[in-house]
Amino acid sequence: MASVPVVPDSYNHVLAEFECLDPLLSALRLDSSRLKCTCVAVSKRWLALGTSGGGLNLIQKDGWKQRLFLTHKEGAVSRVACCLHDEDYVAVATSQGLVVVWELNQERRGKPERIYVSSEHKGRKVTALCWDTAALRVFVGDHVGKVSAIKINTSKQGKAAATFVMFPVQIITTVDSRVVQLDYLDGRLLISSLTRTYLCDTERQKFWKIGNKERDGEFGACFFPAGKNSGNQQPLVYCARPGSRMWEVNFDGEVQSTHQFKQLLSSPPLPVVTLRLDPHYTSSSCPPQSLSFPKLLYLTEHCVMTWTERGIYIFLPQSVQVLLWSEVKDIQDIAVYKNELFCLHTTGKVVHLSLLLVDRCIERLIRRGFWTLAARVSCLFQNSVISCRARKNLPLDKLEHLKSQLDASAQQDLITQLEELISKLEPLDSACSSRRSSISSHESFSVLDSGIYRVISRRGSQSDEDSCSLHSQTFSEDERLKEFPAHQEDEQVELDNVSHASVTVEADRNETFLPFSIPLSFRSPSPLVSLQAVKESVSSFVRKTTEKIGTLHISPDTRARQEAKDDEQLQELTVNLAASPQEERELETQSCQLPEEDHLRDLKAATAETIAKLQDPLVLLEPQHMRRVLREWLIYLEEKFGSKEYSASSVKKSKSVCAEEERAVLEENLRLDPTDRDPADKEQCSTLESYTEKENTDETSVSKTTCKNSTDLKEPLDCCFQVAPPCVIEPDVQKDLVELTTLCFELRVFSCGNGETEDSSDGSPPAAALWTLACRFMRSYFFLLDLKRVKQCIITMYATSPNVWETYVAGLKELTCHSPVALAMENEDMLKILKQLHDLGPWDDSPLLLVHAQRLYEKFGETALRPLIKFYPSILPSDIKQLCRNDPAHFLAYLDSLVKSKPEDKRSSLLRSLLQPESVRLDWLCLAVSHDAPQRADTVDAEGNPRPRSHLFTWGYSQLILLLIKLPADFVTKEKMADICKSHGFWPGYLFLCLELDRRIEAFTNIAHLDDLSLLNGEDGSMPETIEEWKFLLHLAQNHSTAFHHHGPQNGNAVGNGSLSCPDCITLENVALLLAKAIGPNRALPLLQECGLTLELSERFTGVCEILRIAEKRQRALIQSMLERCDRFLWSQQA
């Protein structure tokens, strides 16, 4: 029988699912695609489930019976929060930004009623809800950073309370970004945004920023209440930080320490005990996890819980331990109450988990009759079952009874494992007698709910002396620690990475909370010991590298004996170096060949001379002179680094001759000792060999061609790249070479072969030949190019030559072919790859990130583009446009997602910063109005005029279009944008541009064709401003009413001019009423008589004018009365 992996004895907790909520969701009809659960909250009595249809289901946890259903017409329920200290109150946030507070009236057996509706966040997305722990007050946070408090006045407080609550909504503050999480405890409000965490004293209205370093992303924060037996100790605050870290903060907002959990999370995940599948455990450890904790939730006593897209994590932050972590995918939100977790998945499914000790979990499974699952969990956690603590709940008779309930024929292996477990158990008295007696003689202990032993030592006992010695040892280490500058925030990362624990201010703090039964492996070693370990590691690395270089000088026989070992070490070194994006380029350089005896002397001299010439202003400011100087220098570069390449592909030889010479070079390289070449050279040779074989098999007849012939146009994409220098180059020399080589590429000074150089200024070669030369140049000198500048040059100068971009990307792929991301691209899913890219950051503006994005797009298509917005500005829209140049709709979706990811007040500035050069504005506008847009025939008639109400059509990228046209631009660009909007029928944008260009008559004409009176409003300036404009609009309405409403096709009950069923149509009477409201009825009637339009007006117009006159008269009288009262008051004050 194969041995089954057993969970180590350090884990004695487990997450278990005893009840499946799927039947409950099915009964509530929340399992369909039309209606699903959107949010979840829990209290002692209620489980609250918000739905996409605007309903709130309140289910009684005792028996899982639905008791209440609350409806909301304000949209889907986005957030819900139950009041924990008075469960008769529930707060609900809707998708429209309204917050509704319900009083359930369960004590009086009445109907639930709305006691307050707050519109303070209307039109915004409410991202967090939190109740006061003592008073009836709700805190609300939204996506723009606004935080408000709703003070509830209810019938329970009496009528007198209403006089003291004049303003039930109070604005607490507005932070700099979206509110991620809110928490409240003892008069303090904790606000966690995308950039930092704030602590607010709501009584004294004081605010503190926690820590000095900002972060970027969703990171939660929560209060950590003081324990029942902690005396006068104040609560703590834990704030999530990047890289699986937490800040421990006191109640005054001061950072006490930084806890590092990255290395501790390298342990394998514990299985979730559920009836859905058998629990399995893998003993192999996983790599350290660098995570971002989106929320932190206080769970039971001493625990903090969080989750990611991978699983659930529960920590003991005070002792810097991982209690457990389990893989649970696709979690959208989690609500907790004591040790209960209600997990809402992205599919709308809700799962109920409980955090329990292993023995209590097994006992509950046995009590419910789940015999097989109880037996599997017992065998899996047998180390915990054997402990004395578990034996109190799982005595031998219970395990024997469990074994008797298993099927002997079908579950023989399980029975055998259970028998082995039982055989390891001794009677409880004998197993613990000696240990219990030794403990009882010196100290007493108690067991907390979390399973941790708390030891109370007696004075003068031997155990007390041992603890003192341990304390003194730790104190001496902490004394030595004071010799080093240790910051208590993110500057402490280096120490955290070594110790995987926290460095606290109080020397004996960790000793106070040391658990009795947990080993001290997490304790920090002495800093001197840690530094000595780092020193030895570095020395070992240098020694191995020196030995590796030394093998190149020894004899071939000795080298052959060490080949296997050295190759293995080099491969390991390569993988380690390729782990970070900044070191991928250095990988090839460090594994290159030995330098030759001063063979770069001529190139160094020419380089120094060229740099000196370029510093002359007469040369620097004249492009032709710069090109001539660079052409002279390029000959030396070609002589040293490009001879093999160009001898193999001369510009005046046929393709067959090229293939023969390339094969000769290949054979010459293959005759060399394999250890004389680095892995990059080997790969290049194999690539060249496959290329020449392809040329020989595919070509049947070849003619003589030059470097400008079309038969060579495929060559730049098929040949190999020189991504590593062929010899060791000094750093200073390489820096100068990179500068000059990149300058040659930017000025189009290329080598055409055999030592000859050519640039684009003299002779003006065809475009195809130009990009061919550019591609060859990149392949030959890729290791000497500044990849950032080359990328920008290709985007601006080779926009019409896609092959240049493809060559550039192919070189990047060659450079990163052995990186972890490239290796994971074949097997991992997209989310894991994106997570790996995020963990390898920060990328800054490294082009290596771009090639990984290219690989993602090639494998996953458009779905891979939208998640790339979180890498902005490392990846710019111009880069994405190059990636998906064959499908512009994909680029448009990325651009729209990027703009929408920013707050509304920052979108215009973001878009303006992206319009470089300015000419891309028109290109992006044409893309936006031509994709996901209505048919032109539906918006424009045969004469080019707008169709009625066609401005109400839905445009997929309407927000992006409006942002583009509202940005500042010159007059000519605005006119071109207006023509684009008109030709495609995007009338909201066209009307805006007409008013901005002062083409008001044209705007009024199009409004009449659109037949929508609501377009004539004063907010955007479309209201007529002069008498002439009013006359023009009146005649336009008269002609339009005659042509359309009387003679045009009627829709339903539509009637002619003056009908009440057309209140928003452009009719003469509606425009006349608008005129009377704008300038007053006394001025409007003479104007209408002047235009000869009074006969066409109905009695309704006359009645409305009379009402307007009365309202105007009363308004004047009211103003006069107020002025007189103010005058009397002022005179009385003087007297």
Side-chain angles (χ1 to χ4, degrees), residues 921-922 964-979 992-993 996-997 999:
R921 182 201 301 255
L922 298 178
L964 285 171
I965 64 178
K966 290 181 179 180
L967 289 178
D970 57 87
F971 186 81
V972 177
T973 303
K974 289 285 186 179
E975 283 189 327
K976 292 180 180 179
M977 295 170 70
D979 294 339
F992 175 85
L993 290 171
E996 195 173 26
L997 295 171
R999 290 154 52 172

Short mmCIF file of all heavy atoms in Angstrom, two decimals, residues 921-922 964-979 992-993 996-997 999:
data_model
loop_
_atom_site.label_atom_id
_atom_site.label_comp_id
_atom_site.label_asym_id
_atom_site.label_seq_id
_atom_site.Cartn_x
_atom_site.Cartn_y
_atom_site.Cartn_z
N ARG A 921 -5.02 61.64 -32.21
CA ARG A 921 -6.37 61.94 -31.72
C ARG A 921 -7.41 61.61 -32.80
O ARG A 921 -8.43 60.97 -32.52
CB ARG A 921 -6.47 63.41 -31.34
CG ARG A 921 -7.84 63.80 -30.77
CD ARG A 921 -8.06 65.30 -30.89
NE ARG A 921 -7.05 66.05 -30.18
CZ ARG A 921 -7.26 66.66 -29.02
NH1 ARG A 921 -8.43 66.61 -28.44
NH2 ARG A 921 -6.29 67.35 -28.45
N LEU A 922 -7.15 62.05 -34.04
CA LEU A 922 -8.11 61.79 -35.12
C LEU A 922 -8.18 60.29 -35.44
O LEU A 922 -9.26 59.77 -35.75
CB LEU A 922 -7.71 62.59 -36.36
CG LEU A 922 -7.72 64.11 -36.21
CD1 LEU A 922 -7.26 64.78 -37.49
CD2 LEU A 922 -9.12 64.60 -35.85
N LEU A 964 -12.52 62.56 -26.07
CA LEU A 964 -11.59 62.97 -27.12
C LEU A 964 -11.98 64.33 -27.71
O LEU A 964 -11.12 65.19 -27.92
CB LEU A 964 -11.56 61.92 -28.23
CG LEU A 964 -10.78 60.63 -27.93
CD1 LEU A 964 -11.01 59.60 -29.01
CD2 LEU A 964 -9.29 60.92 -27.81
N ILE A 965 -13.26 64.54 -27.94
CA ILE A 965 -13.65 65.79 -28.60
C ILE A 965 -13.68 66.97 -27.62
O ILE A 965 -13.63 68.12 -28.05
CB ILE A 965 -15.03 65.64 -29.28
CG1 ILE A 965 -16.11 65.39 -28.24
CG2 ILE A 965 -15.00 64.52 -30.31
CD1 ILE A 965 -17.50 65.28 -28.83
N LYS A 966 -13.75 66.68 -26.31
CA LYS A 966 -13.79 67.77 -25.34
C LYS A 966 -12.40 68.23 -24.90
O LYS A 966 -12.29 69.25 -24.24
CB LYS A 966 -14.60 67.34 -24.10
CG LYS A 966 -16.10 67.22 -24.36
CD LYS A 966 -16.85 66.82 -23.11
CE LYS A 966 -18.34 66.71 -23.40
NZ LYS A 966 -19.12 66.32 -22.19
N LEU A 967 -11.38 67.49 -25.29
CA LEU A 967 -10.03 67.91 -24.96
C LEU A 967 -9.64 69.14 -25.76
O LEU A 967 -10.08 69.31 -26.91
CB LEU A 967 -9.03 66.78 -25.23
CG LEU A 967 -9.08 65.58 -24.29
CD1 LEU A 967 -8.07 64.53 -24.73
CD2 LEU A 967 -8.79 66.00 -22.86
N PRO A 968 -8.81 70.02 -25.22
CA PRO A 968 -8.39 71.21 -25.98
C PRO A 968 -7.64 70.83 -27.25
O PRO A 968 -6.86 69.88 -27.26
CB PRO A 968 -7.48 71.95 -24.99
CG PRO A 968 -7.85 71.43 -23.65
CD PRO A 968 -8.29 70.02 -23.84
N ALA A 969 -7.91 71.57 -28.32
CA ALA A 969 -7.24 71.33 -29.61
C ALA A 969 -7.35 72.59 -30.44
O ALA A 969 -8.12 73.51 -30.13
CB ALA A 969 -7.85 70.13 -30.34
N ASP A 970 -6.58 72.63 -31.53
CA ASP A 970 -6.63 73.81 -32.40
C ASP A 970 -7.89 73.78 -33.26
O ASP A 970 -8.62 72.78 -33.32
CB ASP A 970 -5.38 73.85 -33.29
CG ASP A 970 -5.24 72.57 -34.11
OD1 ASP A 970 -5.81 72.48 -35.21
OD2 ASP A 970 -4.56 71.64 -33.62
N PHE A 971 -8.15 74.90 -33.93
CA PHE A 971 -9.40 75.07 -34.67
C PHE A 971 -9.52 74.05 -35.81
O PHE A 971 -10.60 73.49 -36.04
CB PHE A 971 -9.45 76.50 -35.23
CG PHE A 971 -10.75 76.84 -35.89
CD1 PHE A 971 -11.86 77.21 -35.14
CD2 PHE A 971 -10.89 76.77 -37.28
CE1 PHE A 971 -13.06 77.51 -35.76
CE2 PHE A 971 -12.09 77.08 -37.90
CZ PHE A 971 -13.18 77.46 -37.13
N VAL A 972 -8.43 73.81 -36.52
CA VAL A 972 -8.49 72.89 -37.66
C VAL A 972 -8.80 71.47 -37.18
O VAL A 972 -9.62 70.76 -37.79
CB VAL A 972 -7.15 72.93 -38.42
CG1 VAL A 972 -7.15 71.91 -39.56
CG2 VAL A 972 -6.88 74.33 -38.96
N THR A 973 -8.17 71.06 -36.08
CA THR A 973 -8.44 69.71 -35.55
C THR A 973 -9.89 69.57 -35.11
O THR A 973 -10.53 68.54 -35.35
CB THR A 973 -7.50 69.42 -34.37
OG1 THR A 973 -6.14 69.56 -34.79
CG2 THR A 973 -7.71 68.02 -33.84
N LYS A 974 -10.44 70.62 -34.47
CA LYS A 974 -11.84 70.57 -34.06
C LYS A 974 -12.76 70.44 -35.27
O LYS A 974 -13.76 69.71 -35.23
CB LYS A 974 -12.18 71.83 -33.26
CG LYS A 974 -11.55 71.90 -31.88
CD LYS A 974 -12.24 70.97 -30.89
CE LYS A 974 -11.72 71.13 -29.49
NZ LYS A 974 -12.39 70.24 -28.51
N GLU A 975 -12.45 71.15 -36.36
CA GLU A 975 -13.28 71.03 -37.55
C GLU A 975 -13.23 69.62 -38.14
O GLU A 975 -14.26 69.08 -38.58
CB GLU A 975 -12.83 72.06 -38.59
CG GLU A 975 -13.27 73.49 -38.30
CD GLU A 975 -12.99 74.41 -39.45
OE1 GLU A 975 -11.97 74.19 -40.15
OE2 GLU A 975 -13.77 75.35 -39.68
N LYS A 976 -12.03 69.04 -38.17
CA LYS A 976 -11.91 67.66 -38.67
C LYS A 976 -12.68 66.69 -37.79
O LYS A 976 -13.34 65.76 -38.30
CB LYS A 976 -10.44 67.26 -38.73
CG LYS A 976 -9.63 68.02 -39.78
CD LYS A 976 -8.18 67.56 -39.78
CE LYS A 976 -7.35 68.32 -40.81
NZ LYS A 976 -5.93 67.89 -40.79
N MET A 977 -12.65 66.90 -36.49
CA MET A 977 -13.39 66.03 -35.59
C MET A 977 -14.89 66.19 -35.80
O MET A 977 -15.65 65.21 -35.74
CB MET A 977 -13.02 66.34 -34.14
CG MET A 977 -11.56 66.03 -33.80
SD MET A 977 -11.05 66.65 -32.19
CE MET A 977 -11.95 65.57 -31.13
N ALA A 978 -15.34 67.41 -36.04
CA ALA A 978 -16.76 67.62 -36.32
C ALA A 978 -17.18 66.92 -37.59
O ALA A 978 -18.27 66.30 -37.66
CB ALA A 978 -17.04 69.12 -36.42
N ASP A 979 -16.35 66.95 -38.61
CA ASP A 979 -16.68 66.25 -39.86
C ASP A 979 -16.74 64.74 -39.63
O ASP A 979 -17.61 64.05 -40.20
CB ASP A 979 -15.63 66.58 -40.92
CG ASP A 979 -15.66 68.05 -41.33
OD1 ASP A 979 -16.72 68.69 -41.12
OD2 ASP A 979 -14.64 68.55 -41.84
N PHE A 992 -21.89 69.31 -29.83
CA PHE A 992 -20.93 69.94 -28.92
C PHE A 992 -19.87 70.71 -29.69
O PHE A 992 -19.51 71.84 -29.34
CB PHE A 992 -20.29 68.87 -28.04
CG PHE A 992 -19.20 69.39 -27.14
CD1 PHE A 992 -19.50 69.95 -25.91
CD2 PHE A 992 -17.87 69.32 -27.53
CE1 PHE A 992 -18.50 70.43 -25.09
CE2 PHE A 992 -16.86 69.81 -26.71
CZ PHE A 992 -17.18 70.37 -25.50
N LEU A 993 -19.36 70.10 -30.77
CA LEU A 993 -18.32 70.75 -31.54
C LEU A 993 -18.86 71.96 -32.31
O LEU A 993 -18.16 72.97 -32.46
CB LEU A 993 -17.69 69.74 -32.51
CG LEU A 993 -16.83 68.65 -31.86
CD1 LEU A 993 -16.45 67.58 -32.86
CD2 LEU A 993 -15.58 69.25 -31.25
N GLU A 996 -18.98 74.71 -29.88
CA GLU A 996 -17.64 75.15 -29.53
C GLU A 996 -16.98 75.93 -30.66
O GLU A 996 -16.19 76.85 -30.42
CB GLU A 996 -16.79 73.93 -29.17
CG GLU A 996 -15.50 74.27 -28.45
CD GLU A 996 -14.77 73.04 -27.95
OE1 GLU A 996 -14.96 71.95 -28.56
OE2 GLU A 996 -14.02 73.12 -26.97
N LEU A 997 -17.31 75.58 -31.90
CA LEU A 997 -16.77 76.29 -33.07
C LEU A 997 -17.61 77.49 -33.46
O LEU A 997 -17.37 78.10 -34.52
CB LEU A 997 -16.67 75.32 -34.25
CG LEU A 997 -15.69 74.15 -34.09
CD1 LEU A 997 -15.84 73.16 -35.22
CD2 LEU A 997 -14.26 74.67 -34.02
N ARG A 999 -20.65 77.57 -34.48
CA ARG A 999 -21.54 77.29 -35.62
C ARG A 999 -22.93 77.00 -35.05
O ARG A 999 -23.46 75.91 -35.16
CB ARG A 999 -20.99 76.11 -36.42
CG ARG A 999 -19.71 76.46 -37.16
CD ARG A 999 -18.78 75.31 -37.45
NE ARG A 999 -19.36 74.16 -38.11
CZ ARG A 999 -18.66 73.12 -38.58
NH1 ARG A 999 -17.33 73.13 -38.46
NH2 ARG A 999 -19.25 72.11 -39.15
#
